[in-house]
Each structure stands twice: as C-alpha cells, then as structure tokens.
Amino acid sequence: MNSFCRASFLANLRSIHNAGVLHGDVGLHSLFIKDSDEAIIANFGRARVVDTTEDELKAEYQLMCILLDSIP
Amino acid sequence: MIWSITQQLSSRYVLLLHLRYDVYDTVNPAIFYRGARINLDNEGLLSPPTTPATSFPIDARLLLFLTSDIGDEDPSGVLHDGILEVEHDEKNSSNVPVIVKLAFTDEQQENLVQEWSVHMHMLSESVTGIQTVLGVFHEDDDEGPSCLVSYCTGTSLAERKLSLLPNQRYVFSIYYFSTPVA
C-alpha cells in the first residue's frame, strides 16, 4: 500500500470520528480502493453515533493503523 | 455524469428489482418504495394489491438488477452486486454498478434503518471518503425486505489480499490475525 492511500484511509476515519461515529467493523472487507487510488471506507452496518467514547474512537484508529501497516 | 444521475435518482420513488444470477431470472420485478419501513409492528394488516410495474412512469422508477450474491452478511443484511438502470426516456438509459444490501428479518431491517441514519448524519457533517448511499427502499409487501443501495466502492483490501503472492500473504496474516478486534 502506498503512503498516499494509507494517509487517505486515516484521514477518512478521522473525518468519521470527528462526526462522532464509531465504525465498529474496521477490517479489510470495509476498506476499498478505487481505480483512481481513492480510499473509501464502507460497511457501516455496525456503526453507531450515540454513546461513543474517546477511548473507543482511539482504539479504532489504532486498529486501523495496525491493519494498514500490515499490508505489504 | 455520475452527479447528473445522482440528481435524477433522488426524485425517483419506485425501485423495480429483478434477480439475474444463479438460477434466478425474474420476469416480474419486486416493487420497492423509497424510504425506510418505519412501522415494523404491522402483523395482521393485509398487503395492498401488487401494482403492475409498467404503471409507474419512467421518471418515477429505477430498475435494479441483482447480478450476484456477494455472500457477505452483517447485522443489517446480505450484500449483492447489482446494476441500477436509470431510464431517461423510452430509448435511452444509463447503467450504474451498485452494491445492494437486502434486509429480510425485522432485526436486519431495524439495523438497516440505523445504518441509513448514520449515513444521513455523516452527510450532514460533511464526512469525506465514505461510500455514497443512493437510497433506502422497502418492498410493497408489508412483510417484504428492505434494501440499501450504494455506489460500487472499488476493490476491497480483502479482495486485494487474495491476489498477493504467497510470501506476502504469510507476512500479512501474521499481523492481521494476531490483532485483537474490539
């Protein structure tokens, strides 16, 4: 994965978190790359807006970092 | 072009759904109306008579052809690939590849409404880099399914992983499967 895509995924997740939304299902099946190298986050079937805590958002962000770092 | 189609989509309130995969090749479509099914507690009510698909004007209807069952399932439904046909007039139309999530049970339908509301919230907050949802629809039949229609979002990293070389996949798996999921 190139650095541009990695940064885009993290920026997108931060944008989601800034709206107070916990995705709840961050995984390879929820992260998409379009032909133009545009990073897209999908699958919000487990997402929630209410009762999210800073710790949950932080943990989800860290999980995303680990996932992205593990991709060759 | 996509923007133009999106504009046209928002004003169309009927979705005519055909199945076109495996053994399915439906002649008469299932009729879905735009919007979420709000009242799930409607047992005992009679279903309205089925309306012939051709009775809906072209500028009010969307044609959806489900082309495969992706097989992925989450709390709000089962994912399918599809083609959305937007008719401009009797001879011209545009086709848009879409992802369709079909919710069958009451629980799935409630979760689908929740997912839709999360998308609306993110839209109002100008969230970037997420899949574009075209609409939520519910079947004419009181006990029928609901569906969420989204633009195709490209290739998932899970699909890309399948195309890795064996040694790359090994390294990847160590990281991925050793990561605890909350």
Side-chain angles (χ1 to χ4, degrees):
Chain A
M1 162 162 307
N2 63 48
S3 58
F4 174 74
C5 280
R6 183 184 188 282
S8 296
F9 276 125
L10 291 176
N12 294 347
L13 186 63
R14 197 174 288 280
S15 178
I16 292 167
H17 287 173
N18 286 342
V21 176
L22 183 77
H23 184 281
D25 193 16
V26 165
L28 301 181
H29 59 287
S30 300
L31 307 179
F32 290 76
I33 298 178
K34 287 188 167 181
D35 293 339
S36 55
D37 263 6
E38 183 185 358
I40 299 288
I41 299 178
N43 294 339
F44 288 82
R46 291 186 166 87
R48 69 175 202 264
V49 183
V50 294
D51 298 332
T52 57
T53 66
E54 282 298 318
D55 285 346
E56 286 178 313
L57 298 179
K58 187 177 176 184
E60 187 166 78
Y61 188 85
Q62 289 173 341
L63 174 61
M64 175 76 98
C65 290
I66 292 170
L67 266 176
L68 296 175
D69 288 343
S70 69
I71 297 173
Chain B
M1 177 183 161
I2 290 290
W3 174 248
S4 167
I5 292 173
T6 304
Q7 290 292 91
Q8 291 184 46
L9 289 177
S10 61
S11 64
R12 301 193 177 196
Y13 64 91
V14 176
L15 182 75
L16 305 176
L17 187 148
H18 290 270
L19 301 181
R20 292 274 169 82
Y21 65 94
D22 290 345
V23 297
Y24 305 113
D25 188 7
T26 53
V27 176
N28 294 316
I31 300 171
F32 286 69
Y33 291 99
R34 184 179 289 279
R37 189 191 307 283
I38 303 299
N39 180 17
L40 295 174
D41 185 20
N42 52 8
E43 291 181 10
L45 293 178
L46 294 173
S47 298
T50 302
T51 311
T54 51
S55 69
F56 298 109
I58 285 177
D59 62 356
R61 71 191 187 202
L62 296 165
L63 308 182
L64 175 60
F65 301 91
L66 297 188
T67 53
S68 70
D69 179 350
I70 296 174
D72 288 348
E73 184 172 348
D74 71 15
S76 50
V78 184
L79 288 171
H80 293 73
D81 282 315
I83 299 292
L84 191 67
E85 183 176 334
V86 185
E87 299 166 286
H88 305 301
D89 53 46
E90 290 185 0
K91 292 181 179 176
N92 300 304
S93 62
S94 301
N95 290 340
V96 182
V98 292
I99 298 290
V100 181
K101 186 178 284 185
L102 276 175
F104 295 96
T105 67
D106 283 358
E107 185 179 356
Q108 285 177 338
Q109 295 198 35
E110 287 175 12
N111 289 329
L112 196 75
V113 173
Q114 165 69 12
E115 184 172 348
W116 170 247
S117 70
V118 168
H119 272 286
M120 290 300 95
H121 171 75
M122 291 192 292
L123 193 63
S124 71
E125 295 285 323
S126 303
V127 172
T128 57
I130 57 173
Q131 70 187 132
T132 303
V133 174
L134 299 173
V136 64
F137 300 85
H138 64 276
E139 201 189 15
D140 194 16
D141 185 336
D142 288 331
E143 295 183 356
S146 299
C147 69
L148 187 72
V149 183
S150 313
Y151 279 129
C152 266
T153 41
T155 309
S156 75
L157 295 187
E159 291 172 277
R160 289 187 171 218
K161 181 193 163 207
L162 294 176
S163 63
L164 294 176
L165 297 172
N167 59 333
Q168 292 175 314
R169 195 176 304 141
Y170 176 70
V171 172
F172 180 87
S173 300
I174 289 175
Y175 279 99
Y176 183 61
F177 292 110
S178 63
T179 305
V181 179

